[in-house]
Amino acid sequence: MKNLESLIKTYYDFPKKGIAFKDILGIIQDTEVFKELILKMSSNSVIQRSEAIISIEARGFIFGSAISLQTSKPMLVARKPGKLPGELIQESYFLEYGKSYLSIQKEAIQKFSSYAIVDDLLATGGTIDCVANLIKKSGKEVCGSITVVELLELNGRSRLNFPVETIISI
Ligand code: AMP
């Protein structure tokens, strides 16, 4: 997509040494590019085949909620520890920089049968794999995942056994 890559800035050694952090926030400061991106993500087959979307805290929320409005597909959130009230389903995962777990509200995930996972970036694939496991644990279908960016050298898609879509690979 024209201009998209130029809006992604790399910060070296953030949030810790050895990480080349891709800052995608410049995209939402260019509304024409952002709009084009959301239309492209929304028309992707992974989104189209799903009944609902699960977006991942925090930058996944930006893209997930815009896709939800564009497609009229409901959105759920997968959140980091201590953020969600009510009865939760949890799953741990390893990040490029640390270990954590993600939670989904049990009542919310029971409402729909199939889900598309939305996030800003695919690195090792651990985060998306974690959300996919939450969906499977709940007896629901994973239609696939879609991110704005994929970091090719980490080959995160190799651990994911469903359609893995991305807008740009770098
Ligand atoms: P992973 O589980 O390794 O695929 O990491 C993906 C998640 O961590 C996404 O939610 C990203 O926002 C974040 N992330 C991991 N690595 C980076 C990176 N190099 N630059 C920006 N965000 C990253």
Side-chain angles (χ1 to χ4, degrees):
M1 236 182 89
K2 202 172 144 236
N3 288 337
L4 189 62
E5 199 166 336
S6 64
L7 294 171
I8 299 168
K9 200 170 164 186
T10 305
Y11 288 89
Y12 295 96
D13 297 325
F14 180 86
K16 67 181 199 189
K17 210 167 165 48
I19 305 290
F21 186 84
K22 302 288 178 190
D23 179 15
I24 52 79
L25 294 175
I27 297 168
I28 54 175
Q29 288 144 29
D30 185 325
T31 54
E32 283 309 308
V33 173
F34 185 42
K35 195 182 276 177
E36 198 189 333
L37 172 67
I38 294 305
L39 291 177
K40 195 160 183 188
M41 292 177 89
S42 298
S43 65
N44 188 279
S45 61
V46 161
I47 298 289
Q48 288 296 318
R49 282 190 287 104
S50 67
E51 194 184 354
I53 291 160
I54 297 186
S55 63
I56 305 175
E57 185 172 358
R59 290 177 296 272
F61 295 172
I62 297 168
F63 303 99
S65 52
I67 294 167
S68 171
L69 282 177
Q70 175 63 30
T71 59
S72 299
K73 291 183 192 276
M75 187 182 86
L76 275 60
V77 294
R79 296 210 65 179
K80 290 167 185 168
K83 301 286 188 183
L84 280 177
E87 202 180 337
L88 306 176
I89 321 174
Q90 296 182 336
E91 183 85 12
S92 64
Y93 69 115
F94 289 95
L95 270 173
E96 205 181 339
Y97 37 83
K99 189 186 175 185
S100 190
Y101 63 88
L102 288 171
S103 309
I104 287 182
Q105 285 176 318
K106 199 169 178 182
E107 198 183 330
I109 201 163
Q110 279 160 359
K111 288 187 191 163
F112 309 102
S113 60
S114 64
Y115 291 94
I117 303 166
V118 175
D119 204 359
D120 64 329
L121 181 141
L122 172 68
T124 65
T127 310
I128 286 175
D129 190 36
C130 174
V131 175
N133 289 335
L134 284 169
I135 297 168
K136 289 176 201 159
K137 237 160 75 169
S138 310
K140 306 295 182 177
E141 185 195 343
V142 179
C143 295
S145 67
I146 184 161
T147 56
V148 180
V149 184
E150 171 182 16
L151 300 183
L152 281 177
E153 66 177 3
L154 293 168
N155 196 21
R157 63 171 57 240
S158 66
R159 68 192 286 173
L160 306 173
N161 59 353
F162 43 77
V164 177
E165 301 283 338
T166 190
I167 304 302
I168 54 168
S169 301
I170 48 182

